[in-house]
Amino acid sequence: MKIENFYATVNGISLSCQRIIPEDVRPDAPTILMLHEALGTIRMWRDFPAKLATATHHPVVVYERRGHGKSDPHAVGDIPRAIDFHNTESDVYLHGLIAELGLAKPILFGHSDGATIALKYAARFPDNVTAVISEAAHVFVEDVTVAGITEATKIYAQTDWKTKLQRHHFAQTDDVFRAWVDTWRQPEFRDWNMVDELANITCPLLVIQGDDDQFGSDEQVHTICAQTGGPVTKMLIKDCGHIPHFDQPDQVIKASLKHLGLAECVDG
């Protein structure tokens, strides 16, 4: 397996990236492009991208969004984020990164905010995506989400969580956290949703959520599946919280293989 860390410049912003090339990579296999959660980085995926690359024999690229990890920081005045920040992440940064890296119709694998951005991109650029795997996406704002974020704010203030996050975000840690909690707790953000865009998604879609997700209910899954315009598979995982690829990684990988037509690779 070959692992390469590099930077890509998109819209004048340097984004930290990692490319994983598995042994016996499939010829002409589309790249799996992974989009992290609101507090995520490359390292915070742990070994899951490598496991996914090994299982699928597809190349994998992971990147850190602006303001995260080793990528360039948010601009002054950009926190809280704009209500439509998912649009910017999709249309400017994700679209730009795909072009910069020369990726032909990648498979998008997103978690939480990253899954929402993946859905946005598939809706806005339907001809540019082979498939989407969505974990714990939000397509509208729920009380449980805001309550979970409010509780996270207390934990951040009262525990060593900040110290742990600093290992990943360095000097950007407070800004990363504020960009998440301050954006989602804006009164105007309660009316945000992307439900009306889901019908534009035509690629195969796998929608995954844990049954004990503290940041969203299974109504997110049901809404996505009911409104999407293409083939969709629903997966509600038992004994699973907000991060299925940590809580039940084997189930996520097996479902991903089946979704991509690679079920024969499960034991490979």
Side-chain angles (χ1 to χ4, degrees), residues 2 4 25 34 37 64-65 70 92 130 234 246:
K2 180 181 178 182
E4 174 193 8
V25 63
M34 304 189 72
E37 62 186 308
E64 295 173 340
R65 295 196 294 276
K70 296 180 180 179
V92 176
T130 293
K234 178 191 306 183
F246 287 168

Side-chain angles (χ1 to χ4, degrees), residues 22 49 51 58 68 83 90 98 121 127 156 179 185 210 232 244 254:
K51 287 181 175 179
H58 281 243
H68 294 252
I83 303 302
S90 164
I98 288 171
Y121 190 83
D127 294 333
Y156 187 79
R185 293 195 300 172
V232 60
K254 287 182 179 180

Side-chain angles (χ1 to χ4, degrees), residues 5 8 33 40 63 117 126 149 155 183 187 189 207 209 227 243 266:
N5 295 302
L33 183 55
Y63 78 102
I117 295 163
I149 290 171
I155 295 171
T183 299
F189 200 76
V207 185
Q209 184 151 328
Q227 299 296 325
I243 312 179
V266 170

Side-chain angles (χ1 to χ4, degrees), residues 13-240:
I13 302 301
S14 179
L15 301 179
S16 176
C17 305
Q18 183 178 89
R19 181 182 287 111
I20 303 170
I21 306 296
E23 295 181 10
D24 301 322
V25 63
R26 287 171 173 262
D28 302 320
T31 294
I32 301 174
L33 183 55
M34 304 189 72
L35 296 91
H36 60 68
E37 62 186 308
L39 300 180
T41 64
I42 292 169
R43 288 179 58 223
M44 290 173 73
W45 284 102
R46 301 179 192 170
D47 63 350
F48 183 78
K51 287 181 175 179
L52 188 62
T54 298
T56 61
H57 302 289
H58 281 243
V60 169
V61 169
V62 192
Y63 78 102
E64 295 173 340
R65 295 196 294 276
R66 183 178 186 178
H68 294 252
K70 296 180 180 179
S71 291
D72 280 351
H74 290 296
V76 175
D78 274 0
I79 300 172
R81 307 289 302 276
I83 303 302
D84 64 351
F85 79 92
H86 295 102
N87 298 350
T88 302
E89 292 294 344
S90 164
D91 300 0
V92 176
Y93 293 109
L94 179 54
H95 191 54
L97 182 65
I98 288 171
E100 177 69 17
L101 300 183
L103 302 182
K105 298 192 68 171
I107 297 159
L108 302 182
F109 187 117
H111 173 231
S112 195
D113 264 356
T116 300
I117 295 163
L119 294 174
K120 274 274 183 181
Y121 190 83
R124 289 166 173 251
F125 302 92
D127 294 333
N128 288 15
V129 182
T130 293
V132 172
I133 300 169
S134 164
E135 286 188 315
H138 302 92
V139 295
F140 59 92
V141 180
E142 298 182 276
D143 289 343
V144 65
T145 310
V146 177
I149 290 171
T150 299
E151 180 63 21
T153 305
K154 296 177 183 177
I155 295 171
Y156 187 79
Q158 298 171 2
T159 70
D160 64 347
W161 190 11
K162 176 180 176 177
T163 300
K164 293 178 180 178
L165 286 175
Q166 283 176 323
R167 301 170 190 166
H168 304 280
H169 295 289
F170 316 106
Q172 303 195 105
T173 302
D174 280 333
D175 282 350
V176 169
F177 192 80
R178 296 258 68 90
W180 175 44
V181 300
D182 290 357
T183 299
W184 278 81
R185 293 195 300 172
Q186 294 175 95
E188 313 88 79
F189 200 76
R190 295 303 295 265
D191 296 325
W192 170 86
N193 76 82
M194 59 162 292
V195 175
D196 60 346
E197 295 191 63
L198 294 171
N200 297 325
I201 300 174
T202 55
C203 68
L205 173 60
L206 172 61
V207 185
I208 301 172
Q209 184 151 328
D211 67 346
D212 194 26
D213 189 330
Q214 67 270 40
F215 293 107
S217 77
D218 57 10
E219 283 304 309
Q220 300 284 345
V221 175
H222 300 323
T223 299
I224 295 167
C225 292
Q227 299 296 325
T228 191
V232 60
T233 301
K234 178 191 306 183
M235 185 180 188
L236 292 169
I237 305 180
K238 293 183 178 180
D239 301 318
C240 182

